[in-house]
């Protein structure tokens, strides 16, 4: 790799990320059923109907996995806490084994000199809450506040940082409008309500954590560069609409106390009554914003109903999941966030990474990381207060509806034997961090 730790400002944090359902194994330790278990059990939703029952068996291999982080020379480890593991029914009694697990995880990080960066929710909604409408239900923020109090009451005194919800766009739009993720809905009213409730839940969790005396609290949003697929006015408008739904709706709520007009034109009729009164909660002050960035999309006009856009194929080289590789987009969003939403607030890259088939050659992943580190550095030189960079993911894992075959890990996982083998990218990053 061309880039090294010494190129970055002192104190810049290098991390790797994982998430609970993707690695832990939800068949273990008294975790409750989640909407991902039933989504996966429904034919046609997930490749080979694979689920997270065993995943990387991280529940039993946590120490070895944290050793891999430490040996890589990371400063921090970004993980998430499973609602269904901690509160199997979604509300009410906590599962002591679940709380003990996260307690050991946090101490395991600290023992190894790794800063624990917690995300409360990375998508495994307890089934009993899904039965009550999940993110469509206006009670979700209250239930989420209780979950937050339960988890952070146990580990909040030791985590380095915390964010409520990973990628509000995926939780709401991808899962309730496009139907690609659990609960697999395709319904505009469901999507609008989920988009708003996710932000209210975020704000309630921030309130709870402040009340516990916690600091270093942020939000983690994902971003995708939207290019008009052709020169037409229709494509320009379609791409702007895509950008507003994906990249600006959540930042608008969090930092401007309003939603973009380009989104309200389609969703306003479906937002829950009184939505305008929730921005005191949604826009609670934060200590940082985390950006997850992977790719760009080509957006064309479409004759159908709002949002009247369609995906088109792009020309750039693609990863194993067919995502175009466009590192400049990272610089674009770091400067866009700073200029239009966050100002002096510290930013973190909370996810960046690529899926690559395992054939023994990991060069493309090394180049991907290097190029994205380069764009992060360029943003720093342009004055962006960027505080850290996180690779997704430490381990090959359960890539949601794509199952286990898409490999994002720095560490190869043999899902038959659970053997871990660091890849060339792991060694290259370790070398860059040592220098
Ligand atoms: C992000 C998710 C993460 C993983 C990567 C590839 O959107 O946060 O769980 O699926 O994409």
């Amino acid at each position: 790799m061309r880039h090294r730790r010494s190129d970055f400002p002192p104190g810049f944090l290098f991390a790797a990320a994982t998430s609970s359902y993707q690695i832990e194994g939800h068949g273990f330790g008294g975790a409750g059923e989640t909407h991902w278990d039933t989504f996966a059990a429904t034919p046609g939703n997930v490749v080979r109907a694979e689920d997270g029952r065993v995943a990387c068996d991280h529940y039993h291999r946590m120490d070895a996995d944290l050793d891999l982080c430490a040996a890589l020379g990371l400063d921090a480890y970004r993980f998430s806490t499973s609602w269904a593991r901690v509160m199997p029914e979604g509300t009410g009694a906590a599962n002591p084994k679940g709380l003990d697990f996260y307690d050991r995880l946090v101490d395991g990080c600290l023992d190894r000199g790794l800063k624990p960066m917690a995300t409360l929710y990375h998508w495994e909604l307890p089934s009993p809450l899904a039965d009550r409408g999940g993110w469509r239900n206006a009670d979700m923020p209250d239930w989420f506040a209780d979950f937050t109090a339960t988890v952070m009451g146990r580990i909040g005194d030791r985590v380095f940082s915390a964010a409520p919800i990973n990628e509000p766009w995926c939780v709401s739009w991808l899962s309730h409008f496009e139907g690609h993720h659990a609960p697999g809905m395709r319904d505009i009213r469901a999507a609008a309500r989920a988009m708003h409730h996710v932000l209210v839940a975020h704000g309630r969790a921030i309130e709870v954590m402040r009340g516990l005396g916690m600091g270093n609290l942020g939000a983690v949003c994902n971003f995708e560069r939207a290019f008009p697929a052709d020169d037409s006015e229709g494509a320009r408008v379609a791409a702007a609409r895509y950008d507003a739904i994906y990249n600006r709706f959540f930042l608008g709520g969090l930092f401007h106390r309003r939603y973009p007009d380009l989104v309200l034109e389609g969703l306003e009729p479906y937002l829950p009554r009184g939505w305008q009164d929730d921005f005191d909660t949604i826009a609670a002050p934060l200590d940082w914003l985390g950006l997850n960035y992977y790719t760009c999309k080509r957006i064309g006009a479409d004759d159908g109903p709002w949002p009247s856009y369609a995906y088109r194929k792009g020309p750039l080289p693609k990863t194993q999941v067919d995502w175009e590789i466009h590192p400049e987009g990272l610089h674009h969003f770091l400067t866009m966030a700073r200029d239009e939403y966050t100002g002096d607030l510290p930013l973190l890259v909370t996810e960046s990474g690529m899926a690559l088939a395992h054939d023994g050659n990991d060069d493309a992943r090394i180049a991907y990381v290097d190029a994205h580190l380069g764009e992060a550095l360029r943003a720093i030189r342009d004055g962006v207060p960027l505080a850290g960079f996180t690779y997704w993911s430490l381990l090959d894992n359960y890539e949601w509806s794509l199952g286990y075959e898409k490999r994002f890990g720095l560490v190869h996982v043999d899902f038959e034997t659970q053997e871990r083998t660091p890849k060339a990218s792991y060694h290259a990053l370790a070398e860059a961090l040592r220098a």
Side-chain angles (χ1 to χ4, degrees):
M1 295 212 315
R2 265 183 319 124
H3 299 100
R4 330 197 67 77
R5 185 191 278 283
S6 54
D7 297 329
F8 288 81
F12 190 85
L13 296 176
F14 289 92
T18 61
S19 91
S20 38
Y21 192 78
Q22 290 176 277
I23 66 166
E24 287 175 1
H26 265 61
F28 313 125
E33 186 184 74
T34 83
H35 69 170
W36 266 98
D37 298 306
T38 53
F39 183 74
T42 310
N45 286 338
V46 176
V47 174
R48 287 182 295 272
E50 289 168 346
D51 61 30
R53 226 169 310 192
V54 176
C56 303
D57 191 29
H58 173 74
Y59 184 76
H60 298 111
R61 294 163 197 265
M62 173 214 294
D63 280 305
D65 292 340
L66 291 178
D67 286 345
L68 285 166
C69 287
L72 178 49
L74 297 176
D75 309 298
Y77 174 58
R78 177 172 177 249
F79 66 96
S80 74
T81 53
S82 163
W83 193 338
R85 180 176 299 292
V86 168
M87 293 167 108
E89 294 299 314
T91 55
N95 167 26
K97 280 191 194 160
L99 285 172
D100 289 349
F101 175 74
Y102 294 115
D103 198 64
R104 283 188 281 118
L105 179 60
V106 169
D107 284 344
C109 288
L110 295 174
D111 288 346
R112 292 167 176 84
L114 297 163
K115 295 179 162 54
M117 297 167 58
T119 302
L120 278 156
Y121 180 79
H122 199 131
W123 310 353
E124 56 287 290
L125 188 70
S127 294
L129 300 185
D131 294 341
R132 290 148 91 174
W135 289 104
R136 288 176 289 154
N137 191 320
D139 290 334
M140 272 294 279
D142 285 343
W143 298 331
F144 190 60
D146 289 345
F147 164 58
T148 303
T150 303
V151 178
M152 289 306 170
R154 182 69 178 266
I155 63 172
D157 57 334
R158 280 157 295 144
V159 294
F160 170 72
S161 67
I165 292 165
N166 182 68
E167 301 187 346
W169 179 88
C170 288
V171 174
S172 53
W173 187 266
L174 184 68
S175 310
H176 296 80
F177 191 87
E178 298 195 4
H180 294 318
H181 278 188
M185 291 192 68
R186 301 191 70 254
D187 183 283
I188 193 168
R189 178 178 159 96
R193 298 169 97 79
M195 286 165 88
H196 184 70
H197 292 150
V198 162
L199 284 177
V200 180
H202 157 91
R204 291 294 312 282
I206 294 290
E207 253 166 48
V208 168
M209 292 192 283
R210 294 278 182 223
L212 290 169
M214 293 173 62
N216 209 8
L217 307 181
V220 174
C221 296
N222 53 326
F223 298 86
E224 234 178 59
R225 190 93 184 258
F227 291 115
D230 55 56
D231 294 337
S232 67
E233 176 61 8
R236 192 193 61 75
V237 173
R241 203 175 282 132
Y242 186 86
D243 182 56
I245 295 168
Y246 203 121
N247 302 314
R248 294 175 181 277
F249 180 87
F250 304 99
L251 290 189
L254 294 170
F255 296 103
H256 290 168
R257 308 172 65 93
R258 63 184 147 77
Y259 295 143
D261 292 340
L262 279 176
V263 182
L264 289 179
E265 70 184 16
L267 292 192
E268 187 161 11
Y270 308 110
L271 284 168
R273 192 166 303 133
W275 63 273
Q276 299 91 338
D277 303 330
D278 288 332
F279 288 107
D280 282 346
T281 303
I282 291 172
L286 297 176
D287 303 307
W288 50 271
L289 171 71
L291 294 91
N292 295 357
Y293 171 75
Y294 291 91
T295 189
C296 60
K297 286 270 158 53
R298 315 287 158 169
I299 308 297
D302 182 79
D303 299 339
W306 189 93
S308 320
Y309 61 56
Y311 296 108
R312 309 253 192 268
K313 204 172 161 59
L316 297 174
K318 310 211 175 31
T319 71
Q320 191 192 12
V321 289
D322 232 20
W323 295 351
E324 284 186 90
I325 300 175
H326 175 61
E328 299 79 10
L330 181 59
H331 178 274
H332 167 83
F333 284 117
L334 290 170
T335 50
M336 173 270 224
R338 186 262 321 258
D339 293 344
E340 299 185 46
Y341 296 94
T342 54
D344 295 339
L345 198 72
L347 303 182
L348 291 162
V349 176
T350 32
E351 286 181 26
S352 164
M354 93 179 277
L356 182 63
H358 182 64
D359 63 1
N361 184 341
D362 212 26
D363 290 352
R365 192 189 319 274
I366 296 172
Y368 187 100
V369 178
D370 207 19
H372 286 77
L373 286 176
E375 292 299 315
L377 257 183
R378 189 158 73 87
I380 292 171
R381 293 195 183 117
D382 290 341
V384 172
L386 183 64
F389 184 96
T390 312
Y391 182 79
W392 179 272
S393 181
L394 176 69
L395 305 172
D396 291 341
N397 59 43
Y398 179 62
E399 182 45 35
W400 307 113
S401 54
L402 303 177
Y404 287 96
E405 76 186 13
K406 308 299 182 193
R407 294 182 175 271
F408 278 90
L410 295 169
V411 175
H412 177 265
V413 178
D414 177 330
F415 293 105
E416 298 294 315
T417 63
Q418 293 295 347
E419 191 187 347
R420 273 72 162 147
T421 311
K423 303 179 189 177
S425 52
Y426 176 100
H427 296 298
L429 186 58
E431 167 64 24
L433 295 184
R434 250 195 311 273

Short mmCIF file of all heavy atoms in Angstrom, two decimals, residues 18-19 22 78 122-123 166-167 169-170 174 181 220 222 246 292 294 321 323 351 353 355 392-393 397-400 408, ligand 1:
data_model
loop_
_atom_site.label_atom_id
_atom_site.label_comp_id
_atom_site.label_asym_id
_atom_site.label_seq_id
_atom_site.Cartn_x
_atom_site.Cartn_y
_atom_site.Cartn_z
N THR A 18 -17.60 -4.90 12.29
CA THR A 18 -18.41 -6.11 12.10
C THR A 18 -19.82 -5.74 12.56
O THR A 18 -20.05 -4.64 13.04
CB THR A 18 -17.93 -7.29 12.97
OG1 THR A 18 -18.06 -6.91 14.35
CG2 THR A 18 -16.50 -7.70 12.67
N SER A 19 -20.76 -6.67 12.42
CA SER A 19 -22.05 -6.46 13.08
C SER A 19 -22.53 -7.77 13.68
O SER A 19 -22.15 -8.86 13.21
CB SER A 19 -23.09 -5.90 12.11
OG SER A 19 -23.82 -6.94 11.49
N GLN A 22 -24.32 -10.60 11.61
CA GLN A 22 -23.48 -11.10 10.52
C GLN A 22 -22.36 -12.03 10.99
O GLN A 22 -21.80 -12.75 10.18
CB GLN A 22 -22.90 -9.93 9.74
CG GLN A 22 -23.95 -9.18 8.93
CD GLN A 22 -23.41 -7.95 8.22
OE1 GLN A 22 -23.29 -6.88 8.81
NE2 GLN A 22 -23.06 -8.08 6.96
N ARG A 78 -15.13 -1.59 15.72
CA ARG A 78 -16.54 -1.19 15.65
C ARG A 78 -17.41 -2.44 15.57
O ARG A 78 -17.27 -3.24 14.64
CB ARG A 78 -16.76 -0.30 14.41
CG ARG A 78 -18.20 0.10 14.22
CD ARG A 78 -18.43 1.15 13.13
NE ARG A 78 -19.87 1.36 13.04
CZ ARG A 78 -20.64 0.99 12.02
NH1 ARG A 78 -20.12 0.45 10.93
NH2 ARG A 78 -21.94 1.16 12.07
N HIS A 122 -27.88 -2.92 14.34
CA HIS A 122 -27.42 -3.22 12.98
C HIS A 122 -28.33 -4.32 12.43
O HIS A 122 -27.87 -5.38 12.05
CB HIS A 122 -25.94 -3.59 13.00
CG HIS A 122 -25.24 -3.48 11.67
ND1 HIS A 122 -24.03 -2.81 11.51
CD2 HIS A 122 -25.55 -3.95 10.45
CE1 HIS A 122 -23.64 -2.90 10.23
NE2 HIS A 122 -24.55 -3.60 9.57
N TRP A 123 -29.65 -4.07 12.55
CA TRP A 123 -30.67 -4.70 11.72
C TRP A 123 -31.38 -5.95 12.22
O TRP A 123 -32.33 -6.39 11.59
CB TRP A 123 -30.13 -4.97 10.30
CG TRP A 123 -29.49 -3.79 9.65
CD1 TRP A 123 -29.46 -2.50 10.11
CD2 TRP A 123 -28.80 -3.76 8.40
NE1 TRP A 123 -28.79 -1.68 9.24
CE2 TRP A 123 -28.37 -2.44 8.17
CE3 TRP A 123 -28.51 -4.73 7.46
CZ2 TRP A 123 -27.65 -2.05 7.03
CZ3 TRP A 123 -27.80 -4.36 6.33
CH2 TRP A 123 -27.37 -3.03 6.12
N ASN A 166 -27.26 1.77 12.65
CA ASN A 166 -26.44 1.69 11.45
C ASN A 166 -27.30 1.89 10.20
O ASN A 166 -28.24 1.14 9.96
CB ASN A 166 -25.77 0.31 11.36
CG ASN A 166 -24.87 0.20 10.13
OD1 ASN A 166 -23.84 0.86 10.05
ND2 ASN A 166 -25.27 -0.61 9.16
N GLU A 167 -26.97 2.92 9.43
CA GLU A 167 -27.53 3.12 8.10
C GLU A 167 -29.06 3.22 8.07
O GLU A 167 -29.74 2.28 7.60
CB GLU A 167 -27.05 2.02 7.15
CG GLU A 167 -25.54 1.98 7.03
CD GLU A 167 -25.03 1.01 5.97
OE1 GLU A 167 -25.82 0.16 5.50
OE2 GLU A 167 -23.85 1.11 5.59
N TRP A 169 -30.93 4.57 6.01
CA TRP A 169 -31.47 4.34 4.66
C TRP A 169 -31.75 2.85 4.44
O TRP A 169 -32.79 2.46 3.89
CB TRP A 169 -30.48 4.84 3.58
CG TRP A 169 -30.95 4.62 2.18
CD1 TRP A 169 -31.74 5.45 1.43
CD2 TRP A 169 -30.67 3.47 1.33
NE1 TRP A 169 -31.98 4.90 0.18
CE2 TRP A 169 -31.33 3.69 0.09
CE3 TRP A 169 -29.93 2.30 1.51
CZ2 TRP A 169 -31.26 2.78 -0.97
CZ3 TRP A 169 -29.87 1.39 0.46
CH2 TRP A 169 -30.53 1.64 -0.76
N CYS A 170 -30.82 1.98 4.88
CA CYS A 170 -31.03 0.54 4.71
C CYS A 170 -32.18 0.05 5.58
O CYS A 170 -33.00 -0.76 5.14
CB CYS A 170 -29.75 -0.24 5.05
SG CYS A 170 -28.45 -0.06 3.83
N LEU A 174 -34.39 0.70 1.95
CA LEU A 174 -34.00 -0.56 1.30
C LEU A 174 -34.90 -1.72 1.75
O LEU A 174 -35.18 -2.64 0.97
CB LEU A 174 -32.54 -0.88 1.64
CG LEU A 174 -31.93 -2.11 0.99
CD1 LEU A 174 -31.77 -1.90 -0.52
CD2 LEU A 174 -30.57 -2.45 1.59
N HIS A 181 -34.16 -6.09 1.89
CA HIS A 181 -33.76 -6.57 3.21
C HIS A 181 -35.01 -6.77 4.08
O HIS A 181 -36.08 -6.22 3.79
CB HIS A 181 -32.84 -5.54 3.88
CG HIS A 181 -31.41 -5.64 3.43
ND1 HIS A 181 -30.40 -4.92 4.03
CD2 HIS A 181 -30.82 -6.35 2.45
CE1 HIS A 181 -29.25 -5.21 3.44
NE2 HIS A 181 -29.47 -6.07 2.48
N VAL A 220 -24.47 7.01 12.27
CA VAL A 220 -23.78 6.35 11.15
C VAL A 220 -24.74 6.25 9.97
O VAL A 220 -25.73 5.51 10.02
CB VAL A 220 -23.29 4.94 11.56
CG1 VAL A 220 -22.72 4.21 10.34
CG2 VAL A 220 -22.24 5.04 12.66
N ASN A 222 -25.24 5.91 5.57
CA ASN A 222 -24.54 5.46 4.37
C ASN A 222 -24.85 6.39 3.19
O ASN A 222 -25.88 7.06 3.15
CB ASN A 222 -24.84 4.00 4.03
CG ASN A 222 -26.31 3.68 3.94
OD1 ASN A 222 -27.13 4.22 4.66
ND2 ASN A 222 -26.64 2.76 3.05
N TYR A 246 -31.50 9.16 -0.61
CA TYR A 246 -30.42 8.34 -0.05
C TYR A 246 -29.52 9.15 0.87
O TYR A 246 -29.26 8.76 2.02
CB TYR A 246 -29.60 7.76 -1.20
CG TYR A 246 -28.81 6.51 -0.89
CD1 TYR A 246 -29.02 5.33 -1.60
CD2 TYR A 246 -27.84 6.50 0.10
CE1 TYR A 246 -28.28 4.18 -1.34
CE2 TYR A 246 -27.11 5.37 0.37
CZ TYR A 246 -27.33 4.21 -0.35
OH TYR A 246 -26.61 3.07 -0.08
N ASN A 292 -20.58 5.72 5.97
CA ASN A 292 -20.31 4.44 5.31
C ASN A 292 -20.39 4.70 3.82
O ASN A 292 -21.41 5.21 3.32
CB ASN A 292 -21.35 3.39 5.69
CG ASN A 292 -21.29 3.02 7.18
OD1 ASN A 292 -20.45 3.52 7.92
ND2 ASN A 292 -22.19 2.16 7.60
N TYR A 294 -19.41 3.04 -0.16
CA TYR A 294 -18.93 1.92 -0.97
C TYR A 294 -18.89 2.20 -2.46
O TYR A 294 -18.00 1.72 -3.16
CB TYR A 294 -19.84 0.70 -0.76
CG TYR A 294 -19.72 0.08 0.61
CD1 TYR A 294 -20.54 0.49 1.65
CD2 TYR A 294 -18.76 -0.91 0.86
CE1 TYR A 294 -20.42 -0.08 2.91
CE2 TYR A 294 -18.65 -1.48 2.12
CZ TYR A 294 -19.47 -1.05 3.14
OH TYR A 294 -19.35 -1.61 4.39
N VAL A 321 -19.81 -7.93 -5.57
CA VAL A 321 -21.25 -7.69 -5.46
C VAL A 321 -21.73 -6.73 -6.55
O VAL A 321 -22.81 -6.16 -6.47
CB VAL A 321 -21.67 -7.16 -4.06
CG1 VAL A 321 -21.55 -8.27 -3.03
CG2 VAL A 321 -20.85 -5.95 -3.63
N TRP A 323 -20.71 -3.79 -7.41
CA TRP A 323 -20.71 -2.36 -7.11
C TRP A 323 -19.53 -1.71 -7.82
O TRP A 323 -18.40 -2.20 -7.73
CB TRP A 323 -20.59 -2.11 -5.60
CG TRP A 323 -21.76 -2.61 -4.81
CD1 TRP A 323 -22.96 -3.08 -5.29
CD2 TRP A 323 -21.85 -2.71 -3.38
NE1 TRP A 323 -23.78 -3.43 -4.25
CE2 TRP A 323 -23.14 -3.21 -3.07
CE3 TRP A 323 -20.98 -2.40 -2.32
CZ2 TRP A 323 -23.56 -3.44 -1.76
CZ3 TRP A 323 -21.41 -2.60 -1.02
CH2 TRP A 323 -22.69 -3.12 -0.74
N GLU A 351 -17.46 2.81 7.60
CA GLU A 351 -17.35 1.61 6.76
C GLU A 351 -16.81 1.98 5.39
O GLU A 351 -17.26 2.96 4.78
CB GLU A 351 -18.71 0.92 6.56
CG GLU A 351 -19.22 0.18 7.77
CD GLU A 351 -20.56 -0.52 7.54
OE1 GLU A 351 -20.88 -0.86 6.38
OE2 GLU A 351 -21.27 -0.71 8.53
N GLY A 353 -15.10 -0.74 2.16
CA GLY A 353 -14.53 -2.05 1.92
C GLY A 353 -15.06 -2.66 0.63
O GLY A 353 -15.96 -2.11 0.02
N ALA A 355 -16.09 -6.43 -1.60
CA ALA A 355 -16.28 -7.87 -1.69
C ALA A 355 -15.43 -8.38 -2.84
O ALA A 355 -15.42 -7.80 -3.93
CB ALA A 355 -17.74 -8.20 -1.94
N TRP A 392 -14.65 -2.23 6.43
CA TRP A 392 -15.68 -3.27 6.49
C TRP A 392 -15.22 -4.41 5.61
O TRP A 392 -15.12 -4.22 4.40
CB TRP A 392 -17.04 -2.76 5.99
CG TRP A 392 -18.02 -3.90 6.07
CD1 TRP A 392 -18.27 -4.84 5.11
CD2 TRP A 392 -18.83 -4.25 7.20
NE1 TRP A 392 -19.17 -5.76 5.58
CE2 TRP A 392 -19.53 -5.41 6.86
CE3 TRP A 392 -19.01 -3.68 8.48
CZ2 TRP A 392 -20.42 -6.03 7.74
CZ3 TRP A 392 -19.89 -4.30 9.34
CH2 TRP A 392 -20.59 -5.47 8.96
N SER A 393 -14.90 -5.56 6.15
CA SER A 393 -15.16 -6.00 7.50
C SER A 393 -13.94 -6.76 8.00
O SER A 393 -13.11 -7.20 7.20
CB SER A 393 -16.41 -6.89 7.51
OG SER A 393 -16.72 -7.33 8.82
N ASN A 397 -18.30 -12.72 6.20
CA ASN A 397 -19.45 -12.93 7.08
C ASN A 397 -20.75 -13.07 6.28
O ASN A 397 -20.73 -13.20 5.06
CB ASN A 397 -19.53 -11.81 8.12
CG ASN A 397 -19.66 -10.43 7.48
OD1 ASN A 397 -20.42 -10.26 6.52
ND2 ASN A 397 -18.94 -9.45 7.99
N TYR A 398 -21.85 -13.01 7.01
CA TYR A 398 -23.18 -13.16 6.40
C TYR A 398 -23.55 -11.85 5.72
O TYR A 398 -23.87 -10.87 6.40
CB TYR A 398 -24.18 -13.50 7.51
CG TYR A 398 -25.61 -13.66 7.03
CD1 TYR A 398 -25.95 -14.66 6.12
CD2 TYR A 398 -26.62 -12.83 7.50
CE1 TYR A 398 -27.26 -14.82 5.69
CE2 TYR A 398 -27.94 -12.99 7.08
CZ TYR A 398 -28.25 -13.99 6.17
OH TYR A 398 -29.54 -14.15 5.75
N GLU A 399 -23.47 -11.83 4.41
CA GLU A 399 -23.75 -10.59 3.69
C GLU A 399 -25.25 -10.52 3.33
O GLU A 399 -25.64 -10.44 2.18
CB GLU A 399 -22.83 -10.46 2.46
CG GLU A 399 -22.97 -9.19 1.65
CD GLU A 399 -23.06 -7.88 2.44
OE1 GLU A 399 -22.41 -7.75 3.48
OE2 GLU A 399 -23.80 -6.99 2.01
N TRP A 400 -26.08 -10.61 4.36
CA TRP A 400 -27.51 -10.37 4.25
C TRP A 400 -28.14 -11.20 3.13
O TRP A 400 -27.89 -12.39 3.07
CB TRP A 400 -27.77 -8.86 4.11
CG TRP A 400 -27.11 -8.09 5.21
CD1 TRP A 400 -26.06 -7.21 5.08
CD2 TRP A 400 -27.40 -8.13 6.62
NE1 TRP A 400 -25.70 -6.71 6.32
CE2 TRP A 400 -26.50 -7.25 7.27
CE3 TRP A 400 -28.32 -8.83 7.41
CZ2 TRP A 400 -26.51 -7.05 8.65
CZ3 TRP A 400 -28.33 -8.62 8.79
CH2 TRP A 400 -27.44 -7.75 9.38
N PHE A 408 -16.17 -9.85 2.15
CA PHE A 408 -15.67 -8.51 2.46
C PHE A 408 -14.51 -8.53 3.45
O PHE A 408 -13.95 -7.49 3.78
CB PHE A 408 -16.79 -7.66 3.08
CG PHE A 408 -17.75 -7.02 2.10
CD1 PHE A 408 -18.90 -7.69 1.69
CD2 PHE A 408 -17.49 -5.76 1.58
CE1 PHE A 408 -19.79 -7.10 0.79
CE2 PHE A 408 -18.37 -5.16 0.68
CZ PHE A 408 -19.53 -5.83 0.29
C1 LIG B 1 -23.26 -2.02 4.65
C2 LIG B 1 -23.71 -2.71 5.92
C3 LIG B 1 -22.88 -3.90 6.29
C4 LIG B 1 -22.46 -4.70 5.09
C5 LIG B 1 -21.82 -3.79 4.06
C6 LIG B 1 -21.29 -4.51 2.87
O1 LIG B 1 -24.35 -1.37 4.06
O2 LIG B 1 -23.66 -1.80 6.99
O3 LIG B 1 -23.63 -4.66 7.20
O4 LIG B 1 -23.54 -5.37 4.57
O5 LIG B 1 -22.75 -2.84 3.66
#
